[in-house]
Amino acid sequence: MAKQPRADARRNRARVLEVAAEVFATDGLSVPVHEIARRAGVGTGTVSRHFPTKQELFAAILLQRLEQLIAEAELLAEEQEPGPAFFTFFATLIREGAANRGLAEALAGGGYDLESAAETAGLDLTGGLSALLTRAQEAGSVRPDVDYADVKALMNGCLTRTGAGTGTDPEADAAALDHLTAVVCDGLRSRAGSAID
């Protein structure tokens, strides 16, 4: 039976992940591990014990965020009507894609397969989005001729928007991305569906 990490080790790992995600988002991916350790209030060895390579740190951040997104999809399904739940999650995934583009690209460039790692960890973001899509279609909020592959392609299309997530002007990037997402959502809505804020 595998030994569980001590409580302080779990706290340190969680703190490193939190700080690293913030640092990479604000200062870029080139921030050295010793700076992440300093800002997290731990030693460089602590970071290296939990994440032997920077790529493993990148992956852990993304996998943790995937886990949070799956929980968010489940919560939306429970608490909102099908249409608003789908459109809210669709927009969230696009914003997340833009925010974490650098991490995903760094992992892909290193040959890391995030989708396989997520599957191995039992994380099924695809299933969560697919379930929300199906519910929204059954409720008449989303066009019936759209499938998961269409939705994924539309999300990827939003992320190719010039300026979206480049960091040159974060406020303008976010506004442009939100505008394009709203246009795409309007196109996904069933003619019988009502506008969703």
Side-chain angles (χ1 to χ4, degrees):
M1 187 157 123
K3 183 179 170 185
Q4 290 293 323
R6 297 183 333 238
D8 62 328
R10 289 191 306 269
R11 279 192 304 273
N12 285 342
R13 183 181 191 283
R15 178 72 182 142
V16 168
L17 282 173
E18 176 187 351
V19 168
E22 291 171 8
V23 168
F24 292 146
T26 58
D27 299 340
L29 301 180
S30 63
V31 175
V33 170
H34 68 83
E35 178 60 17
I36 293 167
R38 185 189 69 75
R39 292 187 194 186
V42 300
T44 303
T46 298
V47 176
S48 296
R49 268 191 305 282
H50 291 289
F51 311 103
T53 67
K54 204 169 186 183
Q55 186 178 25
E56 288 181 49
L57 179 58
F58 294 161
I61 291 168
L62 288 176
L63 288 172
Q64 180 183 51
R65 190 59 191 134
L66 283 175
E67 191 173 337
Q68 293 166 345
L69 287 167
I70 290 166
E72 187 173 336
E74 292 169 356
L75 187 63
L76 286 167
E78 291 173 14
E79 295 184 350
Q80 290 191 16
E81 292 296 318
F86 170 77
F87 287 112
T88 298
F89 196 60
F90 179 82
T92 297
L93 289 178
I94 292 170
R95 279 197 243 36
E96 284 293 322
N100 291 308
R101 182 186 320 226
L103 284 173
E105 288 174 354
L107 286 171
Y112 186 85
D113 184 352
L114 183 61
E115 286 189 26
S116 293
E119 188 176 312
T120 300
L123 301 175
D124 183 16
L125 187 62
T126 300
L129 180 58
S130 293
L132 290 173
L133 173 62
T134 299
R135 287 183 62 233
Q137 287 174 317
E138 289 170 354
S141 298
V142 173
R143 297 167 52 143
D145 60 337
V146 173
D147 63 16
Y148 174 79
D150 296 329
V151 170
K152 187 172 179 180
L154 289 167
M155 288 190 304
N156 287 333
C158 287
L159 292 172
T160 63
R161 163 88 171 62
T162 302
T166 63
T168 54
D169 183 350
E171 287 183 28
D173 287 352
L177 193 59
D178 287 346
H179 172 74
L180 185 57
T181 301
V183 170
V184 171
C185 285
D186 283 344
L188 284 169
R189 284 191 179 88
S190 172
R191 286 183 176 81
S194 60
I196 299 166
D197 295 320

